[in-house]
Amino acid sequence: DGGITQSPKYLFRKEGQNVTLSCEQNLNHDAMYWYRQDPGQGLRLIYYSQIVNDFQKGDIAEGYSVSREKKESFPLTVTSAQKNPTAFYLCASSIFGAGGNSPLHFGNGTRLTVT
Amino acid sequence: DAKTTQPTSMDCAEGRAANLPCNHSTISGNEYVYWYRQIHSQGPQYIIHGLKNNETNEMASLIITEDRKSSTLILPHATLRDTAVYYCIVRASGTYKYIFGTGTRLKVLA
């Protein structure tokens, strides 16, 4: 089945450590996204990438980094510079082009806890 | 960038239609309206989207006003499994940046 795989589902880290969240898609989508969700809040955009080797900052990019070396993969690194890293992280993808109306497809998220 | 405004929460009786409103008064002419829902601790699920015409699929109907400044998602026969947070979003013009609001928490009551 085609879809987006985020791993692991739960991740625990000590403060001061960098951590990388995995996101893989086999939908052949061009665009990929990372969102962050805090308890009781909506989704906030961290980074997005429209094509391989290109990405743009979202609204809350500080303390995060991404890479897009392959079309199917868009890993997110939460660095020690991120002041409040504990959150639910969601990866998504969409078709690029096609009049720009393609919907987002989401993975099931990674819950990161930093202590 | 267009922003959306939704009520914080709504209740609906099981079997009745759930009508979820959304205001997007600054939407541009080429921006689509999308609806998603999220059940606790899962990724959002796509429901429906539209530009200016009303749309219907197996999950829901989307009614967009003629001036496109607001829309309504209709779940025709709500079930307990429709209890979720529903997000109305628009795509930022000229980019692939989808902006989410805080959504409406729909509770379907038995």
Side-chain angles (χ1 to χ4, degrees):
Chain A
D1 286 340
I4 299 178
T5 301
Q6 291 188 244
S7 60
K9 187 168 179 63
Y10 298 95
L11 191 54
F12 298 88
R13 280 294 183 270
K14 294 290 187 186
E15 194 174 327
Q17 293 178 334
N18 291 353
V19 59
T20 297
L21 281 60
S22 169
C23 178
E24 303 279 329
Q25 55 101 356
N26 60 3
L27 299 166
N28 200 33
H29 285 175
D30 299 288
M32 296 187 75
Y33 310 76
W34 276 104
Y35 287 88
R36 168 185 172 138
Q37 187 173 37
D38 294 284
Q41 309 230 354
L43 282 67
R44 292 185 290 167
L45 182 64
I46 305 173
Y47 269 99
Y48 64 108
S49 167
Q50 295 176 162
I51 55 173
V52 173
N53 292 324
D54 184 58
F55 45 82
Q56 288 80 41
K57 291 181 180 180
D59 299 317
I60 55 165
E62 186 176 349
Y64 299 98
S65 65
V66 293
S67 63
R68 188 82 187 280
E69 297 176 3
K70 299 187 295 182
K71 187 176 184 179
E72 60 269 25
S73 179
F74 191 41
L76 173 74
T77 297
V78 184
T79 75
S80 56
Q82 167 51 232
K83 290 184 172 53
N84 296 296
T86 294
F88 187 47
Y89 290 88
L90 287 157
C91 179
S93 70
S94 71
I95 297 170
F96 186 61
N101 67 344
S102 61
L104 292 173
H105 296 257
F106 282 87
N108 275 325
T110 291
R111 190 168 298 280
L112 173 65
T113 302
V114 177
T115 58
Chain B
D1 296 347
K3 298 277 192 285
T4 61
T5 305
Q6 299 176 253
T8 303
S9 64
M10 294 179 64
D11 290 341
C12 177
E14 189 178 19
R16 303 295 296 268
N19 297 289
L20 291 89
C22 178
N23 284 323
H24 30 78
S25 58
T26 59
I27 194 170
S28 300
N30 62 349
E31 291 181 320
Y32 284 74
V33 179
Y34 301 80
W35 282 85
Y36 288 80
R37 70 182 182 185
Q38 186 179 26
I39 297 169
H40 184 62
S41 295
Q42 295 183 20
Q45 176 191 22
Y46 165 75
I47 301 172
I48 198 167
H49 73 284
L51 182 63
K52 53 186 175 182
N53 296 324
N54 297 339
E55 303 286 345
T56 296
N57 63 21
E58 65 278 5
M59 289 182 70
S61 294
L62 174 60
I63 308 298
I64 302 175
T65 57
E66 193 169 340
D67 64 7
R68 302 208 328 120
K69 292 186 177 181
S70 66
S71 60
T72 301
L73 178 76
I74 301 173
L75 307 178
H77 305 288
T79 71
L80 298 178
R81 282 185 286 186
D82 292 322
T83 293
V85 177
Y86 286 77
Y87 294 100
C88 165
I89 67 171
V90 297
R91 181 179 62 82
S93 179
T95 77
Y96 280 76
K97 184 177 173 182
Y98 295 76
I99 303 169
F100 281 75
T102 53
T104 296
R105 186 172 297 277
L106 175 69
K107 189 172 183 179
V108 180
L109 306 171

